[in-house]
Amino acid sequence: MKKIELEIVALSHSITQTQSYAVVLGEVNGLRRLPIVIGGFEAQAIAVALERMNPSRPLTHDLMKNFMMAFNVDMHEIVINDLQEGIFYSKLVCSSNNDTVEIDSRTSDALALAVRFGCPIYTYENILDQAGVLMDDEMRTVDEPTFSSSTNTNAPSSSNKSNDNLRSLSIDELNALLAEVLENEDYIKAIAIRDELKTRGNN
């Protein structure tokens, strides 16, 4: 069965589930999108790698990568290979000493490792047919593919209030808050604060 390559185009709060996030995968050279609901911890792990942030201590997925590299295990690709009752199933394709193995994985963990190894993400046509969303060409933004740290426009109002609160703070207050959330390892919030500082810098 032919594999279809995907890339991460957005990460935002889930519209349907509180305390959850949605990672949106886009078809490379195509218009289809595959949204997948993931937990907050996994969203943070993906965000940290995409934004090339350096946590003071390695996160679980950083530890996993370091462990694999220490034993000369390389990850070549991940494949989202099944969808059952709304749950995506994935596998890691890894090799060591001329031996290639496929390892079962949660999709959120597979994506967090894929961005760390810089390896491609694949799925199959039948999965895109079942769960994919077709975007009109006019709906594509000029910046795609990009990582979006902002919340979805349809996300709960509490998220919008949080962004409004950031806008009301001074630059010194934002820098102090950034140091605090980094100390608490809240990288999702750190990205939002950093984006607000960037916006003010550009202005």
Side-chain angles (χ1 to χ4, degrees):
M1 193 181 302
K2 182 183 177 183
K3 293 186 295 189
I4 299 168
E5 187 171 0
L6 304 171
E7 58 192 347
I8 297 175
V9 297
L11 180 63
S12 64
H13 284 293
S14 170
I15 301 169
T16 57
Q17 299 184 34
T18 57
Q19 305 303 319
S20 293
Y21 291 78
V23 59
V24 182
L25 304 176
E27 180 183 17
V28 173
N29 299 320
L31 296 175
R32 289 178 292 183
R33 300 290 181 264
L34 187 66
I36 300 174
V37 175
I38 61 175
F41 174 79
E42 292 79 9
Q44 178 170 274
I46 292 170
V48 165
L50 286 172
E51 294 291 309
R52 294 179 173 82
M53 299 179 78
N54 294 310
S56 56
R57 296 174 294 171
L59 301 179
T60 302
H61 298 92
D62 298 316
L63 175 62
M64 184 68 181
K65 180 190 176 185
N66 294 341
F67 186 87
M68 292 169 71
M69 298 300 289
F71 288 92
N72 297 315
V73 177
D74 192 21
M75 194 165 83
H76 300 289
E77 64 187 45
I78 74 160
V79 181
I80 302 170
N81 62 332
D82 200 6
L83 174 61
Q84 297 181 23
E85 299 179 359
I87 298 173
F88 292 91
Y89 293 80
S90 297
K91 60 184 177 182
L92 315 176
V93 181
C94 304
S95 68
S96 176
N97 299 327
N98 300 320
D99 186 23
T100 300
V101 295
E102 296 181 354
I103 303 169
D104 184 39
S105 171
R106 294 191 310 167
T107 298
S108 54
D109 291 328
L111 292 171
L113 284 170
V115 292
R116 282 165 171 76
F117 277 93
C119 69
I121 302 163
Y122 294 103
T123 192
Y124 297 115
E125 188 73 38
N126 65 310
I127 293 175
L128 277 175
D129 287 341
Q130 289 181 67
V133 176
L134 181 63
M135 290 185 64
D136 293 332
D137 200 33
E138 295 80 18
M139 292 173 64
R140 301 182 73 183
T141 62
V142 294
D143 293 328
E144 278 195 4
T146 62
F147 164 68
S148 172
S149 62
S150 61
T151 56
N152 191 295
T153 54
N154 294 319
S157 58
S158 60
S159 300
N160 296 329
K161 287 179 182 177
S162 177
N163 290 339
D164 291 340
N165 289 341
L166 292 180
R167 294 188 191 101
S168 68
L169 298 177
S170 68
I171 289 179
D172 287 342
E173 289 171 326
L174 285 171
N175 281 317
L177 183 58
L178 179 60
E180 181 183 334
V181 297
L182 285 173
E183 180 68 24
N184 294 327
E185 301 183 356
D186 185 352
Y187 299 107
I188 295 287
K189 190 166 184 180
I191 291 168
I193 297 169
R194 188 210 55 194
D195 287 350
E196 177 65 21
L197 286 167
K198 276 186 178 178
T199 299
R200 297 193 192 185
N202 291 336
N203 292 337

